[in-house]
Amino acid sequence: MILTLARKELHSLFAAPSTWWMLALLQFILAWFLLARMDDYLQVQAQLAQTDSAPGATISIAAPLAGALALLLMMLTPLFSMRLIAEERRNQTWLLLASAPISVTRIVLGKFLGLLGLLSLIIAAGGLMMLTLLLGTPADLGLIASNLLGVWLLAASYAALGLYCSAITPQPIVAAFGALAVSFGLWLLELGSGVLRVLSPNLHFQNLNVGLVSSADLCYFALFIAIFLLLAIRHLRREQEGR
Amino acid sequence: MTSPVTLSAQHLTRFHGRQCVVNDVSFVLRRGEVLGLLGHNGAGKSTTLQMLAGALAPGAGVIEVCDFDLAQRPDLAKSCLGYLPEHPPLYRDMRVDDYLRFAARLHRVAPARLAEHLQRAKQRCGLLECGHRLIGTLSKGFQQRVGIAQAIIHQPAVVILDEPTVGLDPAQIREIRELIRTLGDSSSVILSTHLLHEVEQVCDRAVILRQGKLIFDGSIDDLRQHSDIESGFLQLTADRTQEETPP
């Protein structure tokens, strides 16, 4: 039942031309970024070779690429997530789901998984791009894996946040701006200093970005996703019950 | 009339904010019956139907569908229900076949029987020719048919139709009414409308709502006994205009 909904969601994401445009643009930017980093690295490679424990190709090229992908997904995920529930309400199709024998929890999970499917595809494409390093040099596959895991968790967090924003408003655009504003705010928290930094998903991504997979970070992401999904479920349920 | 009860609503009440939209409404629906829910605009018809379909939880009251309590066993009760809301819930960017398949899966039709159900629903609603068309490119009449097909694809015991003929041309209205009458052979049907002659033509029984209260529940013949049916309805809802002054 959840999968039926997830598949339908993925299908309708790919039915929109804007999705294809965004995917193409994203690939273009990533490829550009990869080549630019590679260029920089090749220029300083001769000097690096003379120093002890010089940074390798993976941490100089693949890790920044993952950082760029994370930033791009922060901006793109709200555009994908805005329609999930808000548009169903606006088109009155929400009643089809609400009157079907499927609980609100499953609706929310199905939609979340559908969006996560699309994001996973994007991240897989980014991963393939990182693996092109193997054509010219041995790469640190562990570091690449931890980076991909980090981006994936970050994207899933943004998807959960976007889903919640989409659940609380009938206007997709408002949902997109809301999700973007919150994720931008969380990003700024990371740039600042103080205790609040630990709230930012980006801080936890930094660890994975340098290859450090710690259970604390994984728990943080799991909590972040669970909280926003639960908030969305709670909101929809209360709405059905009329406060 | 001794056929089994397929849907029963007891003491339904629902508030929107502080305004009471549906006030202590009770009625039952039996197998093979077509029930007309009649009332003026704003009488609480759509809200009542949304509650029956499980899309809104009633503030108070109990709904049972095929002996399953809608609040306690929502999944079982809802799989016996088909619902067409006021605006057909269509995804404009999907093809008719894909949409109906999705609706069938949502309503737990077994994958092996999917093709059979799809074929039957399309045949009943006259959609055999347009399975590959995008829903957004269909005319309003055909979109309404897709909406009805969606409500009957899992062959539910109870079909709930909210104003199924609004905005259609006379020929389409006649076709939809034919369809509703054939639906009444296999399922129980509730339809809401503010058109009296529609109830007279299609329904076996009528329930009249006024300002959220049930003011009439009986057969069409009973309604006719208020002399002529038109004046009967007007008589029953006569003091509406005095009470319903806009705030």
Side-chain angles (χ1 to χ4, degrees):
Chain A
M1 199 55 89
I2 296 178
L3 288 183
T4 302
L5 207 57
R7 204 179 329 144
K8 189 251 145 202
E9 215 46 62
L10 201 56
H11 185 272
S12 62
L13 276 169
F14 275 114
S18 58
T19 306
W20 294 96
W21 278 111
M22 284 194 263
L23 290 183
L25 196 65
L26 194 66
Q27 287 302 304
F28 179 76
I29 294 174
L30 281 183
W32 189 281
F33 190 86
L34 178 79
L35 292 175
R37 289 299 301 195
M38 214 179 268
D39 221 22
D40 289 351
Y41 184 72
L42 289 177
Q43 275 180 8
V44 296
Q45 197 187 20
Q47 290 134 338
L48 284 177
Q50 292 158 11
T51 57
D52 286 339
S53 66
T58 317
I59 198 139
S60 315
I61 300 175
L65 186 69
L69 184 56
L71 198 63
L72 287 170
L73 283 177
M74 181 180 95
M75 292 184 279
L76 280 184
T77 310
L79 295 179
F80 293 126
S81 69
M82 65 179 183
R83 299 170 59 192
L84 288 176
I85 294 174
E87 184 135 297
E88 300 258 9
R89 290 241 195 87
R90 211 174 49 164
N91 291 347
Q92 319 262 0
T93 46
W94 179 252
L95 282 176
L96 173 68
L97 300 179
S99 66
I102 171 170
S103 65
V104 170
T105 312
R106 287 180 176 192
I107 297 177
V108 167
L109 286 180
K111 288 186 169 281
F112 175 69
L113 286 183
L115 179 57
L116 203 54
L118 174 73
L119 296 174
S120 304
L121 275 180
I122 293 176
I123 293 166
L128 283 179
M129 221 174 261
M130 291 176 195
L131 289 180
T132 53
L133 284 179
L134 285 173
L135 293 176
T137 166
D140 181 349
L141 290 180
L143 183 59
I144 290 183
S146 93
N147 265 297
L148 289 179
L149 176 68
V151 176
W152 190 77
L153 287 170
L154 199 59
S157 309
Y158 290 142
L161 171 67
L163 185 67
Y164 173 62
C165 290
S166 187
I168 56 176
T169 161
Q171 301 294 337
I173 293 295
V174 178
F177 274 107
L180 190 60
V182 174
S183 38
F184 196 71
L186 288 170
W187 184 59
L188 286 181
L189 275 186
E190 196 264 322
L191 296 183
S193 57
V195 199
L196 285 177
R197 280 189 74 190
V198 295
L199 286 180
S200 170
N202 305 74
L203 179 77
H204 300 268
F205 171 68
Q206 296 302 329
N207 288 340
L208 289 156
N209 197 213
V210 296
L212 182 68
V213 184
S214 81
S215 49
D217 294 329
L218 300 187
C219 286
Y220 168 84
F221 281 115
L223 269 178
F224 190 97
I225 295 166
I227 286 174
F228 278 105
L229 290 183
L230 283 174
L231 281 176
I233 292 168
R234 199 180 86 114
H235 180 87
L236 292 171
R237 212 176 262 161
R238 282 175 67 136
E239 191 178 68
Q240 202 168 44
E241 281 158 12
R243 280 165 285 272
Chain B
M1 189 87 87
T2 49
S3 34
V5 172
T6 49
L7 182 144
S8 89
Q10 300 300 328
H11 309 295
L12 289 188
T13 303
R14 169 90 193 189
F15 286 85
H16 279 180
R18 303 178 69 185
Q19 191 197 356
C20 185
V21 193
V22 176
N23 189 355
D24 198 17
V25 169
S26 307
F27 57 87
V28 296
L29 181 69
R30 291 173 187 282
R31 169 149 302 156
E33 202 174 34
V34 181
L35 176 71
L37 185 61
L38 203 58
H40 295 279
N41 290 330
K45 302 190 296 282
S46 290
T47 310
T48 306
L49 292 186
Q50 284 190 20
M51 288 193 289
L52 294 180
L56 276 182
V62 179
I63 300 168
E64 279 182 7
V65 187
C66 301
D67 295 328
F68 298 120
D69 187 318
L70 192 58
Q72 307 293 328
R73 316 286 303 273
D75 287 2
L76 286 172
K78 282 175 174 179
S79 44
C80 305
L81 278 174
Y83 174 46
L84 170 70
E86 211 169 346
H87 303 274
L90 305 174
Y91 298 100
R92 299 174 58 83
D93 54 0
M94 279 176 104
R95 293 181 195 285
V96 173
D97 279 351
D98 293 336
Y99 172 73
L100 291 178
R101 267 192 218 109
F102 172 63
R105 283 201 202 98
L106 268 187
H107 286 96
R108 308 186 163 194
V109 173
R113 306 195 57 203
L114 210 59
E116 176 200 330
H117 279 247
L118 176 68
Q119 189 66 18
R120 187 167 157 76
K122 283 203 303 184
Q123 187 203 340
R124 292 184 92 173
C125 300
L127 290 167
L128 288 174
E129 310 292 306
C130 39
H132 294 286
R133 302 254 321 254
L134 282 176
I135 292 176
T137 65
L138 294 173
S139 68
K140 188 156 172 22
F142 271 90
Q143 290 190 356
Q144 192 75 14
R145 290 188 200 193
V146 178
I148 296 180
Q150 162 274 127
I152 63 172
I153 189 152
H154 49 298
Q155 302 177 356
V158 180
V159 182
I160 300 173
L161 306 170
D162 198 348
E163 308 210 344
T165 56
V166 160
L168 303 182
D169 69 36
Q172 292 169 333
I173 289 180
R174 212 180 55 223
E175 286 168 12
I176 300 273
R177 284 184 189 157
E178 290 287 328
L179 176 62
I180 292 170
R181 246 186 314 223
T182 59
L183 284 181
D185 298 338
S186 50
S187 323
S188 323
V189 181
I190 302 186
L191 75 143
S192 80
T193 176
H194 52 260
L195 303 173
L196 258 170
H197 59 273
E198 187 158 287
V199 168
E200 202 178 7
Q201 282 179 13
V202 183
C203 302
D204 308 313
R205 245 179 67 213
V207 161
I208 301 182
L209 285 182
R210 193 188 63 200
Q211 292 179 2
K213 287 204 187 85
L214 191 108
I215 55 168
F216 175 87
D217 180 357
S219 69
I220 299 298
D221 292 334
D222 292 344
L223 193 58
R224 278 207 192 90
Q225 277 174 4
H226 294 261
S227 64
D228 160 52
I229 193 165
E230 187 81 40
S231 61
F233 178 53
L234 289 177
Q235 190 188 328
L236 281 165
T237 58
D239 34 5
R240 182 185 72 95
T241 32
Q242 285 97 43
E243 290 177 29
E244 212 178 68
T245 41

